[in-house]
Amino acid sequence: MTIGKNLPPPFPRRIVPNKADLGDWSQLEPLFDLLDRAAPATASAMEEWLLDWNDLAAALAEEGSRRYVAMTCHTDDPACEKRFLHFIEEIEPRAKPRWQKLRTQYAALPAGRDLPRPRYFVLDRSIRNEVELFRPENVPLEKEEEKLCVEYQKLTGAMTVTFDGKERTLQQMAKYYDLIDRPLRRSAWGLVASRRLQDRQQLDDIFDRLLKLRQTQTQNAGCDDYRAYAFRRNERFDYGVKECEQFHAAVEKVVVPLHRRIQARRKKTLDLQPLRPWDLSVDPQGRPPLRPFQKAGQLVKGCTEILSRVHPEFGSLLAFLRQHSLLDLESRKGKAPGGYQAVLSEHRLPFIFMNAVGLQGDVSTLLHEAGHSVHSMECRQEPLLWYRQAGPEFAEVASMSMEHLGSDFYEVFYHAEEAKRARVKEVEEDIWLLCWIATVDAFQHWIYTHPGHRVEERQAAWLELHRRFGGIEDYSGYEDALKNGWHRQLHIFLYPFYYIEYGIALLGALQVWQAVQKDKAAGLAAFRRGL
């Protein structure tokens, strides 16, 4: 699969040959040797050495991104899977000890201490943290972990159901959840729940194997538990377990009651007793579902117009991505679930992946990923790869801010009354999202501080957190679907402890949105400076 068409040339390389095969270790090893032999004695020489190091890092990062994108776009294509597995089995395990050698060399060289602190403090802290955390015996374990993550994506990407006479992905089934016909909603929701449960044993098996690998990595690194290890690996220098628990408590005290009041109002308006999980998306007043587009091209056209109204350069970026085939937006069989923005690090260009099916949520998702893309482009002239990517707590501010800034222009897709409905829906989903974030984050705290737990104990912990942070909907008759509901949150499998960042970022995004409401020019200027 080719990622991108007629792209502008990548930024010039410094040490990596232009025709190098980045999937061939014999061509990569001499480049690491070249970096090893350098011994910069001055701050200026150290800066040049870091740029050479950065050159190789960017080349390998883009190669890895291209293979990952191809694999997630086509989880049912053996050739794409083979290319990605080759990279994580043959290239990354050889590269990781060499990166560590460079980091160790950097930490030991006196010239590093002479680098301008305002410019290099963050990079220096990151490198020294990795030096302390790295263990060579963890490299093969990380390889096996990545292979299990591929297995999860293949399994979930293959999930389909036959409904209304057609085979459909689980993402495509979401368009039945907001229909006025309640029996049809129940049938659709129940079929999807049943399909997920068919693979619950395999999903639990994958996760149990991931747990064992992560626990062994923790022991090798000398950390008390995987939570402590993951916090260091994720570079959470500014907050810790205590602050996460304070976030959980604040959500429980302030947000959960609001979420439940909104659901109680929904229940009353719909005149239902009880409210069921298939009643959570339908319009309470019986109005037709919001259907902003039918085809991906319409989604891109509309979001391009929205982004242009936020700022002309933002809209131009999405048009550029479409022109150069840097988008894969529609849901289909064999495509991994979820959405993400990847960066081609040598071209310094973004790629957006998602699973659109024609819903309002797809508009929000594309605006979200476009926010990441704007962030990437704002940092494009930064020479160091390490500084072209922010920590997730702030990276998600860019994406979630764009969702909210774009919501001011939903009239691109709807008439005035529908646009108002879409905005109300977005605010209500913000409230639900904070509850879900607290649930997912607290669940991971429980998982990784209870080593050796059984599947049944894990399910019980999830149910307890649902009682703490969940809504008022009744799952009677669908208890298995509820206690296995965490299976659908891919972050728990693929990106452990990456989720509270969305909660932190949402609070920042709401402040950005508020600032732009008060003074658009000043608010947007401050937003872009922050990026």
Side-chain angles (χ1 to χ4, degrees):
M1 175 184 176
T2 301
I3 310 299
K5 293 181 180 178
N6 302 316
L7 298 180
F11 281 65
R13 290 175 170 176
R14 291 171 61 95
I15 65 169
V16 179
N18 288 329
K19 295 185 178 181
D21 180 353
L22 300 175
D24 181 356
W25 180 251
S26 68
Q27 297 184 45
L28 294 170
E29 190 170 26
L31 301 176
F32 281 100
D33 293 339
L34 177 65
L35 291 169
D36 284 345
R37 289 193 295 270
T42 65
S44 59
M46 174 68 80
E47 288 184 297
E48 291 298 312
W49 182 64
L50 286 172
L51 288 172
D52 289 342
W53 176 354
N54 175 87
D55 186 52
L56 179 55
L60 280 177
E62 176 158 333
E63 183 70 18
S65 288
R66 286 181 174 277
R67 294 179 185 227
Y68 178 79
V69 167
M71 183 274 295
T72 54
C73 288
H74 303 283
T75 63
D76 53 356
D77 185 329
C80 291
E81 180 183 5
K82 182 178 179 181
R83 279 178 51 79
F84 180 68
L85 288 176
H86 171 80
F87 198 77
I88 65 173
E89 290 178 335
E90 302 298 332
I91 303 302
E92 287 186 347
R94 289 182 167 95
K96 285 180 178 180
R98 302 304 300 266
W99 294 129
Q100 174 67 0
K101 188 175 180 181
L102 292 174
R103 290 191 292 263
T104 303
Q105 185 175 346
Y106 164 87
L109 286 169
R113 293 191 289 271
D114 296 328
L115 291 171
R117 183 173 174 80
R119 166 69 172 161
Y120 289 100
F121 165 71
V122 171
L123 177 59
D124 181 83
R125 180 179 63 178
S126 177
I127 289 175
R128 293 180 187 279
N129 179 65
E130 290 190 79
V131 167
E132 294 175 6
L133 207 56
F134 180 84
R135 298 292 186 277
E137 56 268 35
N138 279 345
V139 172
L141 301 179
E142 291 165 355
K143 178 183 74 174
E144 293 306 312
E145 184 179 3
E146 287 195 68
K147 289 169 66 177
L148 283 173
C149 290
V150 173
E151 191 174 332
Y152 169 82
Q153 290 175 303
K154 282 184 64 179
L155 184 63
T156 53
M159 289 183 180
T160 63
V161 295
T162 300
F163 191 79
D164 197 20
K166 291 184 179 180
E167 184 181 24
R168 304 178 191 274
T169 67
L170 303 194
Q171 291 80 14
Q172 290 167 344
M173 290 297 292
K175 64 184 180 182
Y176 292 96
Y177 299 164
D178 59 1
L179 297 181
I180 296 172
D181 185 336
R182 194 183 191 211
L184 187 63
R185 294 200 309 270
R186 176 176 182 169
S187 178
W189 189 93
L191 185 61
V192 169
S194 176
R195 177 62 188 87
R196 290 188 188 278
L197 288 173
Q198 287 180 29
D199 291 331
R200 60 181 165 178
Q201 187 171 345
Q202 288 174 269
L203 290 168
D204 276 322
D205 178 64
I206 290 171
F207 194 71
D208 283 337
R209 285 185 283 161
L210 285 169
L211 280 178
K212 290 180 181 178
L213 289 170
R214 290 167 182 167
Q215 183 61 32
T216 305
Q217 291 172 42
T218 299
Q219 294 167 352
N220 291 341
C223 294
D224 292 337
D225 53 46
Y226 185 78
R227 178 174 65 178
Y229 176 71
F231 272 46
R232 283 200 63 184
R233 192 179 65 177
N234 293 349
E235 299 190 352
R236 289 185 176 175
F237 301 121
D238 303 311
Y239 66 100
V241 172
K242 178 183 176 182
E243 288 75 18
C244 292
E245 291 174 344
Q246 289 173 338
F247 176 86
H248 304 160
V251 169
E252 182 179 19
K253 180 180 179 180
V254 178
V255 186
V256 171
L258 178 58
H259 174 52
R260 291 175 179 172
R261 286 201 301 272
I262 291 171
Q263 285 198 332
R265 184 177 63 195
R266 165 179 288 273
K267 174 183 170 184
K268 182 178 180 180
T269 304
L270 288 168
D271 192 23
L272 293 175
Q273 184 62 36
L275 188 72
R276 303 286 266 166
W278 47 85
D279 299 322
L280 302 181
S281 298
V282 65
D283 182 74
Q285 298 179 33
R287 292 169 292 190
L290 295 172
R291 292 291 184 264
F293 65 95
Q294 292 183 325
K295 298 292 184 181
Q298 296 167 317
L299 171 63
V300 176
K301 182 180 178 181
C303 285
T304 299
E305 176 61 25
I306 286 176
L307 291 168
S308 295
R309 294 188 188 186
V310 177
H311 193 288
E313 290 183 26
F314 299 168
S316 296
L317 170 60
L318 190 57
F320 173 89
L321 298 184
R322 181 183 188 182
Q323 177 186 354
H324 293 282
S325 299
L326 291 168
L327 304 170
D328 189 327
L329 306 182
E330 289 187 306
S331 176
R332 61 178 178 271
K333 183 180 179 181
K335 188 176 181 181
Y340 63 78
Q341 182 246 204
V343 176
L344 306 181
S345 295
E346 286 196 290
H347 287 81
R348 305 185 193 177
L349 293 173
F351 177 92
I352 294 177
F353 169 103
M354 60 179 284
N355 279 274
V357 296
L359 302 179
Q360 166 57 31
D362 298 324
V363 175
S364 297
T365 297
L366 184 52
L367 292 174
H368 178 105
E369 302 304 342
H372 283 308
S373 298
V374 167
H375 197 181
S376 296
M377 296 303 286
E378 293 283 3
C379 301
R380 193 168 189 245
Q381 298 306 318
E382 165 58 53
L384 292 178
L385 171 65
W386 299 286
Y387 284 167
R388 292 200 296 273
Q389 48 198 23
E393 294 83 2
F394 188 73
E396 298 299 345
V397 171
S399 57
M400 301 183 97
S401 293
M402 200 64 76
E403 288 184 56
H404 290 81
L405 295 173
S407 71
D408 291 334
F409 305 103
Y410 279 163
E411 284 80 3
V412 167
F413 285 105
Y414 305 112
H415 60 66
E417 183 59 31
E418 286 182 325
K420 181 179 178 180
R421 281 176 58 194
R423 282 189 277 270
V424 170
K425 181 179 177 66
E426 176 154 18
V427 172
E428 290 183 348
E429 288 185 350
D430 283 344
I431 293 165
W432 167 83
L433 180 60
L434 287 168
C435 299
W436 181 252
I437 289 167
T439 306
V440 171
D441 189 62
F443 185 55
Q444 295 191 90
H445 282 255
W446 185 91
I447 285 172
Y448 292 107
T449 55
H450 291 77
H453 66 261
R454 294 178 290 109
V455 169
E456 295 78 13
E457 293 172 311
R458 190 160 64 223
Q459 292 172 338
W462 178 256
L463 289 174
E464 178 57 35
L465 290 169
H466 174 76
R467 285 189 284 270
R468 182 181 176 191
F469 298 112
I472 65 171
E473 69 272 24
D474 182 358
Y475 281 84
S476 295
Y478 295 89
E479 290 83 1
D480 281 349
L482 175 59
K483 67 185 180 184
N484 291 285
W486 65 274
H487 283 166
R488 69 181 187 270
Q489 187 58 64
L490 61 85
H491 295 71
I492 298 174
F493 286 82
L494 308 183
Y495 314 114
F497 282 104
Y498 188 152
Y499 215 70
I500 197 171
E501 291 87 345
Y502 292 108
I504 296 169
L506 177 56
L507 300 179
L510 291 172
Q511 293 176 69
V512 170
W513 189 26
Q514 186 179 49
V516 172
Q517 298 297 314
K518 291 179 179 178
D519 186 329
K520 182 176 180 179
L524 282 175
F527 175 54
R528 297 187 73 181
R529 283 197 304 273
L531 300 183

